[in-house]
Amino acid sequence: LKPFGSSQLAPAESDPNRSTEACPAWSAMACKADVSTSLAFHMTHSTSMAPGSSKEKVYRAAAACARQLLMERWEKTYQHFSEQDPKQCHYLSMEYLLGRGLRNAVGCLELEGEFGQALKELGWTLEEVATQEDDPGLGNGGLGRLAACYLDSMATLDLPGWGYAMRYKFGLFKQGINAEGRQTEHPEPWLERGFPWEVKRADVRFPIRFGGSVQDGQWAPAQTIMAVAYDIPVPGFKTKNVITLRSWDAEPITADFDMFQFNECKHTAALADFQLAQKLTAVLYPGDQPREGKALRVMQQYMLSSASVQDIVARFEQRAAAAGRSPDWDDLPNKVALQMNDTHPTLAAPELQRILVDEKGLAWDRAFGIMSKCVAYTNHTLMPEALEQWPLDLLQELLPRHVEIIKRIDLDFIEVVKKKYADMPKPDLYATLSKMTAMGNYYETGTPKEPFTPRDAPAPVVRMANLCIVCGFAINGVAQLHSDLCKTVVFTDFARLWPEKFHNKTNGVTPRRWLAFANPELAAVVTKRLGSDAWIKDASLLKGLAAHADDAELQKEWTAVKTAHKRMLLELLWKSIDEKLLGPALDDAAGWLFDIQIKRMHEYKRQLLNLFGVVHRYKKYKAMSPAERAQQVRR
């Protein structure tokens, strides 16, 4: 694929007679006057707010300005990928912690100065306006942030990437500690006033089916809703490439609404599909202790998987049709890579198998050969209790056709292992299989029946990580140590069977959002010493700072920036804490080391261990002499 950069998108001619009553041609926007003109237009036409001016209205106008330019690039990026038809990476993740969009968009467009000056004329700073934006509630943790960084990197590197997500109404919650010291959570309604960065694609919708029965391989579902696409642009830095994060919302099929049933006051039954649609995209990671919670999680995961796979298959067919040919399904692995971020999107594998066999008419073995060259799996945890497994009877109730497919995949896999280890002693073989099969607590393990044939068990489960590995062509951890432990501790039998499948992909965070745009003062110091801002796209260039480590002037500039931001942080923290909880006032923060853990409150997030560490350090300080204590950095 030829990179999609500035050489392929020439800016439009500037019109010196452009009227301020019309929205300016954004491809020609290159100065503060253009931004000011566009701001004025969008203040009147694009904010969906009452006449007048407010900080939020200025933010929405600024967001509309930036989105307008991104839209132009976005459309041309999609057109470019459609014409070139490259192999495309489709990243399926249950969450994305995107962060606010305005600063990122303006930074990627390299228009910070122009926006800053235009906003200054209105009496605002870019920082003030940007704080009006609600964080999109598509995720809330490290898994989601790493997924967002992947998309940012793919866009910046001109790679043909595509993200898939769920459009939760409440994916983020505001957390606080009340006067009694208890954690409190309040919903963050990020969609209440509209999210200016998303575009509803009303024509992109796919049926999502649940329940029912299967006869001779034909699934007759009991309930169907529609997954509808909402697209968010993901811009690259110093490139015209803008890729897509497509989030799925759930809508009932209005043509199926039973007016007669409703008028007979059977409201619950008549609105069942409406209620299901609301539940599916209400909350990220709903509680899953009771069966109802597990069912909702499985349905959410299947909705993400099914809608995304249907979309991928539809685009493959569209591009084949545009080239004047029928789709060659054997070519699908040359055009599609489907990355499952953790086990949440595992059902994408059996869903693709279902579509190829049931809808496209492929033979089972051919379909599996194609599917297993398309899907890959990123593992995020080594804790056995965090590796998802769902009750078989629950999956049978919700997705009966997929259970048939999973069972057959597993039986085929058992034959592969038996053939591979034909000389292994039977007890060792069966012990190995008991750890590797997708179906857990499901097979006979001893006499009198043949081991590893299906049996009636009290609580069989489907082990999603095992299913990912059986179906996937590649498995990776997110750091070298993690990836090594995947092979030596967690998935040892799989690594022995298929060593070629296991890889490492060290996850990193984008230096754009997390340094260049978040801390422009520090970024300026880095650029000054390195002689260019190329490090913003190539973080390996930051190693060049090592040559200046003893530079007293650099240390002075670096410390000045860090100290200024420490003082800002201290002021923010002081304002954020309830007066009843405030301790003694701190002096100047310049000499302090801030040890910050920003995570949702959860037992496995290690907040308690962090607090034990605070107590431990305090006790050590108390045991020191005054002279020793004076040498310690205050935290």
Side-chain angles (χ1 to χ4, degrees), residues 104 145 148-150 152-153 156 508-517 536 539:
N104 190 63
R145 183 54 236 171
C149 283
Y150 262 120
D152 178 283
S153 294
T156 296
V509 295
T510 162
R512 290 163 290 282
R513 178 180 291 272
W514 294 106
L515 178 51
F517 306 155
I536 301 177

Side-chain angles (χ1 to χ4, degrees), residues 286-363:
D288 63 351
Q289 289 302 311
R291 182 181 175 87
E292 293 81 358
K294 290 182 174 65
L296 181 54
R297 283 216 188 186
V298 169
M299 288 191 287
Q300 286 182 327
Q301 293 180 3
Y302 177 63
M303 178 178 163
L304 170 67
S305 302
S306 178
S308 303
V309 170
Q310 289 184 73
D311 192 40
I312 292 166
V313 169
R315 192 176 305 110
F316 178 76
E317 292 178 309
Q318 289 166 1
R319 291 182 179 176
R325 52 180 165 75
S326 299
D328 177 4
W329 296 109
D330 294 307
D331 195 40
L332 189 67
N334 298 322
K335 299 298 181 182
V336 168
L338 199 159
Q339 189 71 32
M340 300 179 293
N341 192 31
D342 215 349
T343 53
H344 309 131
T346 302
L347 290 166
E351 174 69 357
L352 180 54
Q353 182 76 3
R354 181 192 70 80
I355 291 173
L356 293 175
V357 173
D358 295 358
E359 298 183 8
K360 307 305 175 184
L362 274 63

Side-chain angles (χ1 to χ4, degrees), residues 187-439:
E188 191 166 306
W190 66 288
L191 292 172
E192 198 169 71
R193 292 172 175 259
F195 183 55
W197 300 102
E198 69 178 3
V199 178
K200 182 178 181 179
R201 308 295 190 188
D203 59 324
V204 180
R205 53 181 61 223
F206 298 98
I208 308 299
R209 306 171 180 92
F210 298 105
S213 60
V214 181
Q215 293 292 333
D216 300 322
Q218 296 300 309
W219 185 15
Q223 199 167 10
T224 304
I225 56 95
M226 300 299 290
V228 182
Y230 285 76
D231 288 355
I232 300 171
V234 181
F237 180 68
K238 288 186 180 292
T239 175
K240 298 290 176 67
N241 197 38
V242 179
I243 64 173
T244 299
L245 172 59
R246 175 160 288 175
S247 65
W248 298 108
D249 202 357
E251 293 183 3
I253 301 174
T254 53
D256 293 345
F257 179 62
D258 192 335
M259 181 65 74
F260 295 103
Q261 193 176 44
F262 188 86
N263 285 337
E264 291 174 353
C265 295
K266 298 177 181 177
H267 302 146
T268 300
L271 295 173
D273 289 351
F274 290 77
Q275 293 166 348
L276 174 59
Q278 283 189 323
K279 283 198 304 183
L280 283 171
T281 55
V283 174
L284 167 64
Y285 301 144
D288 63 351
Q289 289 302 311
R291 182 181 175 87
E292 293 81 358
K294 290 182 174 65
L296 181 54
R297 283 216 188 186
V298 169
M299 288 191 287
Q300 286 182 327
Q301 293 180 3
Y302 177 63
M303 178 178 163
L304 170 67
S305 302
S306 178
S308 303
V309 170
Q310 289 184 73
D311 192 40
I312 292 166
V313 169
R315 192 176 305 110
F316 178 76
E317 292 178 309
Q318 289 166 1
R319 291 182 179 176
R325 52 180 165 75
S326 299
D328 177 4
W329 296 109
D330 294 307
D331 195 40
L332 189 67
N334 298 322
K335 299 298 181 182
V336 168
L338 199 159
Q339 189 71 32
M340 300 179 293
N341 192 31
D342 215 349
T343 53
H344 309 131
T346 302
L347 290 166
E351 174 69 357
L352 180 54
Q353 182 76 3
R354 181 192 70 80
I355 291 173
L356 293 175
V357 173
D358 295 358
E359 298 183 8
K360 307 305 175 184
L362 274 63
W364 176 272
D365 289 342
R366 181 185 174 198
F368 186 83
I370 293 168
M371 179 270 286
S372 60
K373 294 184 182 75
C374 290
V375 300
Y377 163 53
T378 296
N379 173 269
H380 279 271
T381 181
L382 299 170
M383 297 186 296
E385 65 271 21
L387 293 173
E388 285 187 312
Q389 51 185 21
W390 297 115
L392 178 60
D393 64 334
L394 178 64
L395 287 177
Q396 181 69 48
E397 176 186 326
L398 297 173
L399 302 168
R401 178 56 179 147
H402 295 76
V403 168
E404 289 186 346
I405 291 170
I406 293 168
K407 286 180 178 179
R408 181 164 176 181
I409 289 173
D410 213 30
L411 290 174
D412 289 349
F413 169 68
I414 289 172
E415 293 307 310
V416 168
V417 176
K418 286 182 176 179
K419 185 176 180 180
K420 174 75 172 181
Y421 298 135
D423 297 330
M424 182 181 287
K426 288 295 191 290
D428 295 341
L429 173 63
Y430 298 146
T432 298
L433 277 171
S434 68
K435 293 178 284 185
M436 297 177 75
T437 56
M439 309 292 291

Side-chain angles (χ1 to χ4, degrees), residues 84-98:
Q84 296 291 315
D85 193 19
K87 183 169 185 176
Q88 199 153 358
C89 175
H90 303 85
Y91 200 79
L92 275 65
S93 181
M94 210 66 195
E95 59 168 311
Y96 289 83
L97 188 55
L98 292 178

